[in-house]
Amino acid sequence: MLQAKGEKTRNEIIECAKNLFYHKGFEATSFSDIVAAAQVNRGNIYHHFKSKDDILRAVVDQRLQEFAALLTGWERRLSDPRERLIAFVHMVVSRQDELARYGCPIGSLNTELGKDRPLLQREARRLFDLFRDWLARQLALSGTAGNSQVLALHLLGRAQGIALIAHVYGDRTFLLRETAELEQWLRRV
Amino acid sequence: MLQAKGEKTRNEIIECAKNLFYHKGFEATSFSDIVAAAQVNRGNIYHHFKSKDDILRAVVDQRLQEFAALLTGWERRLSDPRERLIAFVHMVVSRQDELARYGCPIGSLNTELGKDRPLLQREARRLFDLFRDWLARQLALSGTAGNSQVLALHLLGRAQGIALIAHVYGDRTFLLRETAELEQWLRRV
DNA sequence: ATAATAATTGGATGAATGTCTAATAATTGA
DNA sequence: TCAATTATTAGACATTCATCCAATTATTAT
């Protein structure tokens, strides 16, 4: 068997929890929600995870893998680092529907955990680190003027602001307009 | 008596709930938290509010009044609409500590409620409307090129992105750098 | 002063929360 | 094949949750 039985259950739990945490928020998602969505027995979850916090850690790890794969994919397909940066902006466009509905999965998670779950936020912040460091590397390769770490954080902030407003107003038009502007900025910088 | 006894209790509940919702989040704040902070009897809250959602509505109303007063204050003190826009940016700077610790009270609230409390988010969104419309008015008065509503939303998004990143990284240096840049942009636009 | 109204008390409500346990079933490796 | 490990089940656990109530106390108008 390529994937052991337990492994399959574990992945199902992670996948369902990931969507629930994104769509409802971490605090608002209950054990019963996860159990129902994953169609797993209540007690069985504790054979795979030792707590709800532990599930979140697994979800963050899974998201890290997902996004890391995305980034290396762009690196493989696009030789020009500036085109890779634009691919980042295009990702926002291609996810406009879910962003308008639920906000940014990384931003909203960190916003929630940043309030009073410092240890968990430390884990979730790694998702930001991943993008920040990758963007900084591409900016450096692009030969942009100025500190590439500074520019990377600026770019992250712009993207987060766009996702947040698009979510608050459910406004995809705003998202399209702002990402187009951001792309222009990237070509100039 | 200037303020009836009940009125005073009611305001105390609102004030404490406002801070708790901001510091912990709406979902993460329990009735017991509010009761303990406001030093009010458990059952007494239901004489003033009919539910937790109802408390949030009162908190939003209070924040609306607060911010509306802030805006009219700037209008009174500053005749140049462009200086008023800069005052908006300076507000972010002056609140850098709480923004880095808890994020933006308006943005984080809307992000949380936007996920699965559409009716409550509709209320909270009015806080964004207040700023958006005011900023648009000042931008129009400034004679900026381009649609002032569009520019206002852009400005709001920039501010939200700054607050979010500053919160995630607890980074006031980033906040200062980005707001300075935003101020320069405002003087140019 | 007194009747009417408003505010407060303290405890009770049932439902939902996350967590755990002991027993059973399934899968795996020798 | 059979012992050992891993996975699943069903339910119970104490606690906390938001909400509500009946009784009491304060306050307000007349």
Side-chain angles (χ1 to χ4, degrees), chain A residues 52-99:
Chain A
K52 192 183 168 190
D53 288 8
D54 201 39
I55 298 176
L56 181 67
R57 277 183 278 268
V59 166
V60 168
D61 284 344
Q62 216 253 353
R63 284 222 119 105
L64 275 170
Q65 281 187 269
E66 258 179 51
F67 287 121
L70 205 65
L71 298 181
T72 55
W74 294 340
E75 291 184 58
R76 197 173 308 117
R77 273 194 301 281
L78 305 166
S79 55
D80 182 0
R82 208 168 290 254
E83 289 303 319
R84 296 174 184 164
L85 292 165
I86 288 165
F88 168 76
V89 175
H90 284 176
M91 171 186 64
V92 176
V93 175
S94 72
R95 301 194 170 196
Q96 57 182 288
D97 285 340
E98 54 173 334
L99 288 172

Side-chain angles (χ1 to χ4, degrees), chain B residues 30-177:
Chain B
S30 72
F31 249 82
S32 301
D33 290 332
I34 299 172
V35 159
Q39 296 184 97
V40 166
N41 187 281
R42 182 156 203 77
N44 195 14
I45 290 195
Y46 281 88
H47 182 260
H48 298 279
F49 305 94
K50 65 181 210 288
S51 68
K52 192 183 166 190
D53 289 9
D54 201 39
I55 298 176
L56 181 66
R57 278 184 275 269
V59 166
V60 168
D61 284 344
Q62 216 255 352
R63 284 222 120 104
L64 275 170
Q65 281 187 272
E66 257 180 54
F67 287 121
L70 206 65
L71 298 182
T72 55
W74 294 340
E75 291 184 59
R76 196 173 308 115
R77 272 194 301 281
L78 305 165
S79 55
D80 182 1
R82 207 167 291 254
E83 289 303 319
R84 295 173 185 164
L85 291 165
I86 288 165
F88 169 77
V89 176
H90 284 176
M91 171 185 64
V92 176
V93 175
S94 73
R95 300 193 171 194
Q96 57 180 289
D97 286 339
E98 54 173 334
L99 288 173
R101 232 188 287 254
Y102 307 111
C104 170
I106 301 177
S108 59
L109 181 64
N110 273 271
T111 293
E112 181 182 358
L113 301 177
K115 283 187 181 291
D116 69 337
R117 302 301 311 272
L119 296 181
L120 281 183
Q121 199 246 329
R122 220 164 153 273
E123 301 288 322
R125 187 167 48 210
R126 291 157 59 216
L127 289 158
F128 269 108
D129 295 340
L130 176 71
F131 278 102
R132 181 199 53 188
D133 295 343
W134 185 87
L135 289 171
R137 240 175 293 130
Q138 306 313 317
L139 283 160
L141 286 171
S142 301
T144 51
N147 187 324
S148 57
Q149 284 274 346
V150 165
L151 282 173
L153 265 192
H154 174 83
L155 191 46
L156 264 188
R158 291 283 290 270
Q160 285 298 317
I162 293 170
L164 194 146
I165 297 293
H167 178 216
V168 169
Y169 283 106
D171 189 343
R172 285 181 286 106
T173 304
F174 168 82
L175 183 144
L176 291 173
R177 192 200 310 134

Side-chain angles (χ1 to χ4, degrees), chain A residues 29-31 43 56 59 64 72 75 108 125 135 150 157 171 180 183:
Chain A
T29 299
S30 73
F31 248 81
L56 181 67
V59 166
L64 275 170
T72 55
E75 291 184 58
S108 59
R125 186 166 48 208
L135 289 171
V150 164
D171 188 343
E183 181 175 344

